[in-house]
């Protein structure tokens, strides 16, 4: 990805620093590379892929401090919203952390989404390198977004990036455009609001039916 950075993000791109798990420094080559690039480490438990991350609070605070300093120095920040490599992207994304939204809001910078396809078949997250396939693709979405909130970011990322990661291609063009420009999120909010109103009406109708049934039984007992 770093080798293709200019091609993916354009000539006017800002230099980038990537957040990484400090445990990767156990490999001397990886440690040297990350240190030379000035990447930002974060400590967390080695509990395996597919298990929720357990961050070290002290390391997390230092990571935020280093990230803020890097942004102020003119760097962009690269991170995995899933918190770790995905061992089975064809089944969908892992839970999305909204730290990217928090950092973007803190730095007043937009978010540019990137999706990977096929990486787990060339280098599996468990540390093995079976190379069961050689088809890999990187998708950089051109529109940088300022999201209204963490839920919009997480839902958009899961839908757009998750689809490409599972299928190696984008959503249908019209649907993709709506997700990228935010109109699909507004549609989703309207759908949720309508569903909530419908549920409330059904709930009130059920209550009325129960009251009516109770009244009828009361009348029957009085008559008898």
């Amino acid at each position: 990805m770093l080798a293709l950075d200019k091609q993916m993000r354009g000539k006017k791109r800002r230099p980038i620093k990537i957040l990484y798990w400090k445990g990767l420094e156990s490999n001397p080559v990886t440690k040297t590379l990350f240190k030379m690039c000035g990447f930002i480490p974060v400590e967390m438990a080695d509990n395996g892929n597919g298990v929720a991350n357990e961050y070290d609070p002290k390391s997390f605070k230092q990571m935020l401090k280093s990230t803020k300093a890097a942004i102020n120095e003119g760097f962009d920040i690269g991170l995995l919203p899933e918190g770790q490599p995905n061992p089975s992207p064809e089944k969908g994304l892992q839970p999305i952390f909204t730290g990217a939204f928090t950092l973007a809001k803190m730095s007043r910078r937009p978010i540019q989404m990137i999706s990977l396809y096929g990486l787990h078949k060339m280098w599996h997250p468990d540390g093995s390198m079976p190379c069961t396939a050689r088809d890999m693709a990187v998708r950089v979405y051109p529109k940088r977004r300022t999201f209204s909130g963490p839920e919009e970011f997480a839902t958009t990322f899961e839908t757009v990036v998750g689809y490409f990661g599972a299928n190696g291609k984008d959503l249908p063009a019209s649907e993709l455009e709506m997700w990228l420009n935010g109109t699909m999120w507004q549609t989703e909010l309207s759908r949720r609001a309508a569903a909530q109103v419908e549920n409330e009406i059904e709930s009130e109708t059920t209550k009325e039916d129960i009251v009516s049934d109770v009244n009828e039984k009361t009348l029957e007992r009085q008559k008898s």
Side-chain angles (χ1 to χ4, degrees):
M1 287 182 63
L2 291 176
L4 295 173
D5 188 40
K6 182 178 180 179
Q7 179 181 341
M8 293 190 301
R9 298 197 300 139
K11 295 180 180 180
K12 296 182 179 180
R13 70 198 185 285
R14 288 156 54 105
I16 190 170
K17 288 191 175 185
I18 295 176
L19 302 185
Y20 70 94
W21 172 43
K22 193 172 177 62
L24 293 175
E25 293 181 3
S26 60
N27 182 318
V29 176
T30 304
K31 180 178 180 179
T32 301
L33 172 63
F34 288 178
K35 292 291 186 181
M36 289 178 63
C37 292
F39 290 171
I40 302 171
V42 59
E43 287 271 15
M44 55 184 170
D46 184 8
N47 52 9
N49 289 95
V51 180
N53 292 343
E54 297 179 19
Y55 293 100
D56 180 285
K58 293 182 180 179
S59 174
F60 199 77
K61 290 180 180 179
Q62 181 57 46
M63 180 272 290
L64 287 176
K65 183 178 179 180
S66 299
T67 299
K68 187 175 181 180
I71 292 171
N72 291 337
E73 291 168 4
F75 286 89
D76 279 341
I77 304 298
L79 55 82
L80 299 175
E82 293 175 273
Q84 54 185 276
N86 191 332
S88 54
E90 68 279 359
K91 297 179 181 179
L93 298 186
Q94 300 174 100
I96 303 300
F97 292 90
T98 55
F101 170 80
T102 302
L103 291 176
K105 184 178 181 180
M106 177 183 72
S107 60
R108 298 181 181 180
R109 296 283 301 168
I111 293 175
Q112 184 170 23
M113 299 186 295
I114 298 177
S115 183
L116 301 176
Y117 171 76
L119 177 62
H120 65 298
K121 295 182 179 180
M122 299 181 69
W123 177 62
H124 200 274
D126 64 7
S128 64
M129 299 185 71
C131 197
T132 57
R134 296 185 179 182
D135 294 329
M136 180 181 171
V138 180
R139 176 69 159 101
V140 180
Y141 295 94
K143 292 192 175 183
R144 296 170 181 250
R145 282 284 314 281
T146 299
F147 293 90
S148 61
E151 188 178 7
E152 181 190 7
F153 164 70
T155 303
T156 302
F157 187 90
E158 183 174 10
T159 303
V160 174
V161 173
Y163 188 90
F164 185 90
N167 301 283
K169 61 181 180 180
D170 284 331
L171 290 163
S174 58
E175 184 178 351
L176 175 63
E177 178 62 23
M178 291 180 70
W179 277 111
L180 294 180
N181 64 26
T183 54
M184 186 62 84
W185 176 246
Q186 296 303 318
T187 301
E188 173 65 12
L189 291 179
S190 298
R191 184 195 66 77
R192 293 183 185 183
Q196 182 177 356
V197 171
E198 184 176 347
N199 289 336
E200 290 175 353
I201 292 174
E202 289 180 356
S203 178
E204 289 300 322
T205 301
T206 301
K207 290 179 181 178
E208 291 175 0
D209 290 342
I210 293 174
V211 171
S212 176
D213 185 55
V214 170
N215 290 337
E216 288 178 1
K217 291 180 178 179
T218 301
L219 288 174
E220 288 176 359
R221 284 199 297 268
Q222 290 175 349
K223 291 179 180 179
S224 61

